[in-house]
Amino acid sequence: MKAVILAGGLGTRISEESHLRPKPMIEIGGRPVLWHVMNIFTVHGVTDFVICLGYRGHMIKEYFSNYMLYSSDLTVDARSGEITYHRNYAEPWRVTLVDTGQGTMTGGRLKRVARYLDADESFCMTYGDGLADVDVTGLIDFHHSHGRLATVTAVTPPGRYGALVLDDDTVTRFTEKPPGDNAVVNGGFFVLHPAVIDRIAGDD
């Protein structure tokens, strides 16, 4: 199974960092957020990735082009230019990097990577900047169990507002920021069948 990672957005909510590099390349603990996202899937046996690039996508290409260099002990023969790799600490990843445009929306990015997906096999999808403790194996199993084309995680976000508990028009008590403010939101991890791409009307 493959995982599609959306890594092309501008990252406007963290502009103090993202004006220098794409948001998925901002580091946590010395590694890009994207590396951490990919490891969420690796733990569950998903190691084949299609990454949708956009804003400063060349930086992500450079990172993976040099990944073997960063992750190995090596000997460089300065005279011949030959490099001998010794111990390799790289993850067992296969990474396809696709320039999907700078202003392209999610559906358009999916349409642009469709040719890199297996036509009859469902795939995972997530964002290149979202970390979570997700049971990807359970998510995949659930997707296969219901026979539909799409599965999305739903999460209850932390509450933002205090709430009033009413008895008709009388306030009986205050509740301090109840979880989710009575809502669930997109948790950012999906399993999709490629047939969903046919339902996307256009590249935008």
Side-chain angles (χ1 to χ4, degrees), residues 104-123:
T104 311
M105 302 303 286
T106 299
R109 292 191 194 283
L110 269 182
K111 283 187 89 72
R112 292 183 185 199
V113 301
R115 65 185 177 273
Y116 300 105
L117 301 173
D118 300 318
D120 297 319
E121 183 181 35
S122 293
F123 61 94

Side-chain angles (χ1 to χ4, degrees), residues 38-190:
M38 293 168 73
N39 271 290
I40 292 171
F41 289 99
T42 303
V43 167
H44 296 274
V46 179
T47 57
D48 195 346
F49 299 95
V50 178
I51 302 179
C52 303
L53 304 176
Y55 174 70
R56 295 190 182 270
H58 67 279
M59 296 180 80
I60 298 174
K61 285 183 179 180
E62 288 169 1
Y63 178 77
F64 285 106
S65 294
N66 293 311
Y67 198 71
M68 182 84 164
L69 185 70
Y70 298 146
S71 305
S72 304
D73 294 340
L74 53 93
T75 300
V76 178
D77 186 320
R79 185 178 301 253
S80 69
E82 180 182 334
I83 299 175
T84 304
Y85 292 96
H86 304 295
R87 287 189 293 176
N88 180 356
Y89 304 101
E91 287 73 16
W93 294 338
R94 183 173 188 268
V95 184
T96 302
L97 302 157
V98 184
D99 184 357
T100 56
Q102 196 145 303
T104 311
M105 302 303 286
T106 299
R109 292 191 194 283
L110 269 182
K111 283 187 89 72
R112 292 183 185 199
V113 301
R115 65 185 177 273
Y116 300 105
L117 301 173
D118 300 318
D120 297 319
E121 183 181 35
S122 293
F123 61 94
C124 296
M125 187 184 84
T126 194
Y127 304 99
D129 61 351
L131 299 176
D133 183 13
V134 174
D135 178 3
V136 173
T137 300
L139 183 64
I140 293 167
D141 290 345
F142 175 72
H143 176 77
H144 290 141
S145 75
H146 60 61
R148 295 185 176 93
L149 297 180
T151 299
V152 59
T153 52
V155 298
T156 304
R160 295 186 301 162
Y161 306 106
L164 302 177
V165 179
L166 300 174
D167 182 6
D168 290 326
D169 60 354
T170 303
V171 175
T172 59
R173 65 186 171 100
F174 293 91
T175 303
E176 182 59 31
K177 297 182 180 67
D181 299 325
N182 299 314
V184 292
V185 299
N186 172 5
F189 286 79
F190 306 80

